[in-house]
Structure formats: C-alpha cells, structure tokens
Amino acid sequence: MRQTRKVALGPKDVAVERRAGGILHLRSPHSLGPYPRKLTERLEHWAETAPHRVFLAHGERTLTYAQALERAKRVGQYLLDKKLSAERPLVVLSGNDIEHALLHLGAMYVGVPYAPISPAYSLLSTDFAKLRAILELLTPGLAFVSQREPFKKALEIVKCEVIHRLEEPRATSGVDEAQARVGPDTIVKFLFTSGSTGTPKAVINTQRMWCSNQAMIQAMLPFFRDEPPVLVDWAPWHHTAAGNHDLGLVLYNGGSYYIDDGKPLPGAIETTVRTLREIAPTWYFNVPKGFEMLIPFLRADTELRARFFSRLKVLWFAGAALPQHVYDEMKELAHRTCGEEIPFLTGFGATETAPATLGRTWPSANVANMGFPPPGAELKLVPFEAAYELRVKGPHVTPGYWRSPELTAQAFDEGGYYRLGDAFLYEEGGLVFKGRIAEDFKLSTGTWVYVGELRARLIQHFAPLVRDVVITGEGRDEVGALIFPAAAASAEHLRDRLRALPSTGSSNRIARIMLLEEPPSLDAGEMTDKGSINQRAVLARRKSLVAELYSDSQRVLRA
C-alpha cells in the first residue's frame, strides 16, 4: 500500500436528515468556530506578529505584511478623498498585480466596495457589451488600469475618472474612523458571474461572507493553522476561486501569495513552469486544463518535478471536471518523485457562496466526488429526476445581486436557501456532481441527458483531439455533439474514436458529431471570460448547424 504524505485534514463525517418529499438536509456535525468581523483584522494581526513575512510577490517585487498594512491605509486615504462608496465604487479593469492588490486592501480597509472586472471584456471583446452593462449597473466613481494603451478603446466608454498609477497620501484619522465603521455586513466587493446564463450579475460579497468562508476552509484544511500556505497562483482575482478562496486563505492564515503571470494556454504555460522552478508551493490550485498542460513539463524535467513536490501538502482542482488520466498521472508523478502520494482534493462552490460550499478532503476513485459541506453550511437536496438539486444556506451566502431585486428573489427558495442550479447524486462517500440543471435535457423518448457528465466523458475520451464539446439532442431521438477540435484533429480520427466510445444506453451514446471551424465567440456569449463553453448560447447561435447535423445521413460532419 502506498504511503500518503502526512497532512492535517478535516473530518469527512456528515449529518443527514430525511424530510417529506424525498428532500435531504445535510450539514457537518461539527460547529463552525469563531471568525473575525472583518478580514482586515487578519491583516493587522499578521502585520504585528509576522511583519517581515512576504505576503505578496510579483516577479522581483515583494510586499510584506507590515508594508501591506501601511500602504493599504494610504491607498484607503486616497479612496476616501475621492468620496467613493457603494453607489460610486472602485472598478479595476486589469489583471493581478501588486497595485491591484493594494487597491483591494485599501478599499476593504476603509469600507469602499470594489469590483474587479474581467480584462477580457476590455481586451478581447469587440462590442464591449458586457463591460458597458457592468459599468451602467455599478456607476463607478473611479477606474484603475495598469496600462492605458491596451485598454484605450475600452476606456472610451468609461465615464468616470481613470487612473493607472497609485497615489498614496499620508493616512489621516479619517482612515481609522472609516475602518471602525466596517462591520460584517459591509460590502467588500462586487464579483460578477461569468455570464454563462446571460448578462453578468453583480454578486454582493460582504465581510461576513468572506470571513465565515475562510473559517470553513480552515476547518477542511486545518494544516493551514500550523503552516502558513505558500501559493503560486495564476487564476484571476475577478473570479471567486482566486479573488476570494485563494487570496483569502493566504491572508487569513498568514501565508505568501506568488502571482504567476502564466496561464493554461500554449505559449503561456511556460511562464508558470518558470515560476514553479523558483517557488515551491505548499498548496497548489489549478483548473483541470492547467494540470493537464503542466504534466508534460513535470514528466520531462526531474529537477522541476523535485522542486514542485518538495513541500507540497495538497493538490486542489476546481472549475471543471478533471479527466481521470490527469488525476492518475499527477498522483503517479508525485509518488515517483518523492515516494509518497500527495492528496489530490477538490471542492465545489459558486460566486454567491464566497465560494466554498463542499469539500472533499479524502481520497476518492471518482473525481466528480465533491465531498460534503464544511461546518456552518446547511445543504438542501431536492429530488430532481434521478438526482438532486443542490441548495445552500449559511453565513457565507450572498445577500443578493446588486440593484437586482427580482434576480435576488428568484435565486432563493421559500426557506431562504440559495439555488445553486446544479445536480448531484448523494452517496455515502460524498456528493457527486452531475452537471448544470439548466443544461440538461430530454430526448424524444423522455430519457434525461446529463450534459455536464457526458461532456466531461467525451473530452476525456477524445483527448487531445478536442478543445471543447457541446451536447445536442433535445427533443430528438439520439444524442449528438458539436465539437471544437484541436488543431491536429480530423474527422477520420474522431470517427475512429467515436466508434470506440463505450455507452450504456441512449442517454450517453453519441450517434453523430460535427466539427466546428469557427471558435466560440465571447461577444455572442458562447464562451465565458473563464474560457468555458455556454452550452445554451452555442446551440441557439448555431441552430442551423444542429438542424444540419440531424438531417444529414453522414454521422461525422465539418462546418
């Protein structure tokens, strides 16, 4: 039996209550411990107890906890002088860097809400529709971009003052007075949903949400208490995974956050590799594609592999389904390098839940097993076909969407539980993710097709020949697929793979596929700023191609 690296992880027990109508209520039998009223209490704590420890690093630049607190106060003074508020918040249009972090900390310190906006809405979009909608909703009082020139066209629609350099005047007593007014219900930030179901919504994130969720994460990963985490992280702060989960766990536990300029893309993953040659993380997060692209470098470079695994306690994936072969090879590389398996864990959440709502801190043969709720989170599982719809309540759940009372009302059920919109199976070993309920559909026979589960299986089966897949067949006799192929893919290759695809019934038997030459469009909503596919948007925009797919006698087409 292989040895696993020793690391303190939280319990995996769960209390289950069965109620009328087949509804299940799940919660941790353990109480959530105390947590701060505001996260700046942790910044002040570490500035006092570990003033010279690196908090943030970006290239050659570093920021210690003492420096971060001092400069956050100065930036806070600047923001107060601009008379910013929830009605006139700060927006940041560019990506992760030291200045962005200081604006975040300064705004949080004095109680000014800030909104990090996906740079894709400014740099990749051609019509700026999503950026325009966001700015109209927020009515910002100040915008920041790290460089003016790349954002030049986008800035033409920004009506407030725009800065690209920080001003840090001496902090006055007004900063302390503003900090004293900050409490659990103070809005820290507005985080926007990815827009996979329409126009991005502004999710209100309060101090209570963020602080309670960090206490939940620490309960699941208690080794953070004994060993402040070291992260190498590329994920953008305009997403809750990095902006709340990762940045928060570093600040909450007094760790060090190394900003990685790489991405899980050809030509950009090399930057991540260079960073990992210099910094050995203790907790490493990535999306499945990131792990997949990192594997060839780890496989080929023994020195990189030794460095990467040297003090690593946990690998963590989220954001999408992890292909089984990626999961298996990462574990095998770790064992080959250090003679131990390193826990490869995961969790589940949403922008509206700060984000952690489920966590699996134990081994599982099923990578879709998302675990159980941490202390403080209450789950309601409502029967939905052969699965359950997941709903959640707790101090980490958003009070709603900014300036959108109707959307807020729709998001919660009569018991005050937030509707995540995801389907799960309940098993003794954890909750198994089935997919987005809005994406699932029925064949003409009445058989349900679980899109998320089937899509993940197809991507794994066809790897590395496909970039993404959209499942078709609603109201039809059989399931099909629109495929965004990789450069090396051909109809012949895919046809051969398709013949070898195992199936257990009509709901997961792919009868026909079409290769799409036009990539998914960000402006048309086919792709979110995270790079994930919007199933419904692709099907709506390419309705004629779906009709062609089902009318042609050929089972593999190119369009």
Side-chain angles (χ1 to χ4, degrees):
M1 184 175 178
R2 288 184 171 183
Q3 181 177 341
T4 300
R5 182 161 287 181
K6 292 183 179 179
V7 55
L9 298 172
K12 67 174 184 178
D13 46 346
V14 65
V16 182
E17 182 182 345
R18 298 180 183 273
R19 298 188 183 177
I23 293 174
L24 302 181
H25 281 252
L26 274 64
R27 61 175 179 81
S28 170
H30 308 280
S31 299
L32 181 64
Y35 50 86
R37 297 178 71 252
K38 46 194 173 186
L39 204 58
T40 45
E41 292 179 18
R42 301 303 289 167
L43 176 60
E44 292 173 330
H45 169 78
W46 296 116
E48 180 179 351
T49 60
H52 305 300
R53 182 182 300 163
V54 172
F55 169 32
L56 289 162
H58 189 199
E60 299 298 319
R61 302 178 63 190
T62 61
L63 196 67
T64 67
Y65 276 94
Q67 291 169 337
L69 177 59
E70 171 65 21
R71 295 186 66 184
K73 291 181 178 180
R74 289 175 175 269
V75 172
Q77 180 64 60
Y78 174 72
L79 299 178
L80 289 177
D81 292 343
K82 293 293 181 181
K83 302 190 184 308
L84 302 184
S85 65
E87 304 301 323
R88 298 179 67 251
L90 165 71
V91 296
V92 176
L93 304 184
S94 49
N96 302 4
D97 58 25
I98 296 292
E99 283 71 26
H100 185 160
L102 286 169
L103 282 165
H104 184 358
L105 294 171
M108 180 167 62
Y109 199 84
V110 297
V112 170
Y114 111 107
I117 310 301
S118 169
Y121 296 157
S122 296
L123 301 178
L124 300 182
S125 176
T126 56
D127 62 10
F128 305 118
K130 290 186 177 180
L131 177 62
R132 195 186 309 275
I134 287 170
L135 296 175
E136 288 176 356
L137 176 66
L138 291 181
T139 60
L142 183 69
F144 172 84
V145 292
S146 56
Q147 296 176 300
R148 284 185 182 272
E149 190 57 34
F151 292 84
K152 185 176 180 180
K153 289 186 177 180
L155 291 178
E156 292 176 3
I157 69 169
V158 178
K159 298 178 181 178
C160 64
E161 179 184 357
V162 178
I163 61 170
H164 68 284
R165 290 183 181 176
L166 289 187
E167 292 187 30
E168 301 179 32
R170 185 178 299 277
T172 68
S173 60
V175 169
D176 294 330
E177 292 166 2
Q179 163 66 188
R181 291 192 294 269
V182 175
D185 294 317
T186 301
I187 298 172
V188 180
K189 62 178 82 173
F190 301 112
L191 285 179
F192 282 83
T193 58
S194 61
S196 60
T197 56
T199 302
K201 301 184 289 288
V203 181
I204 299 169
N205 279 242
T206 65
Q207 290 282 357
R208 178 184 286 105
M209 284 175 65
W210 206 4
C211 292
S212 65
N213 202 232
Q214 285 303 316
M216 293 176 185
I217 293 169
Q218 193 183 77
M220 292 189 288
L221 302 168
F223 74 92
F224 287 156
R225 297 192 197 108
D226 306 318
E227 183 179 355
V230 176
L231 272 66
V232 174
D233 199 3
W234 65 269
W237 292 338
H238 62 269
H239 288 150
T240 186
N244 276 357
H245 191 287
D246 296 358
L247 187 60
L249 71 85
V250 169
L251 179 54
Y252 196 87
N253 297 285
S256 300
Y257 192 114
Y258 291 83
I259 300 171
D260 170 20
D261 286 328
K263 285 182 175 58
L265 295 170
I269 187 67
E270 291 81 1
T271 300
T272 294
V273 171
R274 285 196 296 271
T275 306
L276 290 173
R277 284 198 175 101
E278 298 176 5
I279 307 298
T282 62
W283 187 88
Y284 189 70
F285 162 83
N286 215 325
V287 295
K289 192 65 177 178
F291 281 113
E292 184 177 356
M293 297 194 72
L294 190 58
I295 280 176
F297 294 93
L298 293 172
R299 189 191 298 138
D301 190 333
T302 55
E303 187 175 333
L304 170 66
R305 205 162 61 234
R307 179 74 166 163
F308 179 67
F309 290 118
S310 61
R311 55 178 182 171
L312 192 61
K313 297 297 190 300
V314 167
L315 292 160
W316 191 276
F317 77 90
L322 182 73
Q324 190 70 42
H325 71 92
V326 175
Y327 179 77
D328 292 339
E329 185 160 5
M330 283 298 297
K331 291 172 71 68
E332 181 60 34
L333 285 169
H335 185 264
R336 191 194 316 167
T337 304
C338 50
E340 299 175 305
E341 284 203 354
I342 292 174
F344 203 165
L345 310 175
T346 189
F348 183 88
T351 309
E352 291 86 349
T353 61
T357 280
L358 293 173
R360 176 173 58 75
T361 56
W362 56 90
S364 174
N366 187 349
V367 294
N369 182 346
M370 298 289 110
F372 287 130
E378 299 179 33
L379 303 188
K380 180 196 287 188
L381 274 63
V382 180
F384 173 76
E385 296 304 318
Y388 293 93
E389 178 201 350
L390 182 62
R391 304 177 187 181
V392 60
K393 180 188 288 187
H396 64 308
V397 176
T398 182
Y401 301 109
W402 184 243
R403 293 174 173 168
S404 303
E406 291 185 4
L407 290 175
T408 298
Q410 295 167 10
F412 293 85
D413 70 10
E414 67 285 350
Y417 286 81
Y418 171 68
R419 304 172 185 265
L420 281 155
D422 297 286
F424 282 82
L425 293 178
Y426 167 67
E427 298 179 358
E428 289 188 5
L431 293 174
V432 177
F433 180 66
K434 295 287 287 182
R436 294 288 297 170
I437 288 174
E439 294 180 344
D440 297 338
F441 59 82
K442 284 184 180 181
L443 296 172
S444 61
T445 58
T447 302
W448 273 97
V449 176
Y450 293 101
V451 169
E453 185 178 42
L454 180 56
R455 177 179 164 275
R457 190 162 67 89
L458 283 180
I459 290 174
Q460 179 173 337
H461 178 78
F462 285 117
L465 300 177
V466 306
R467 288 198 174 95
D468 224 314
V469 173
V470 170
I471 305 300
T472 68
E474 183 169 8
R476 300 182 183 272
D477 296 337
E478 54 193 14
V479 180
L482 302 178
I483 291 182
F484 294 99
S490 69
E492 291 73 24
H493 286 141
L494 289 166
R495 183 185 286 112
D496 291 341
R497 289 280 187 95
L498 182 60
R499 292 193 185 105
L501 179 67
S503 65
T504 57
S506 61
S507 66
N508 57 29
R509 184 176 66 86
I510 304 298
R512 53 186 72 220
I513 59 177
M514 177 181 285
L515 278 63
L516 304 179
E517 293 182 346
E518 181 195 355
S521 166
L522 177 71
D523 287 339
E526 293 185 319
M527 180 180 67
T528 71
D529 67 312
K530 292 185 290 188
S532 57
I533 287 293
N534 181 340
Q535 166 95 6
R536 291 290 183 186
V538 172
L539 293 176
R541 182 168 180 256
R542 308 186 191 224
K543 188 183 299 184
S544 62
L545 294 181
V546 175
E548 182 183 348
L549 175 65
Y550 282 91
S551 65
D552 197 294
S553 59
Q554 296 294 321
R555 295 304 178 93
V556 180
L557 304 173
R558 178 178 290 275

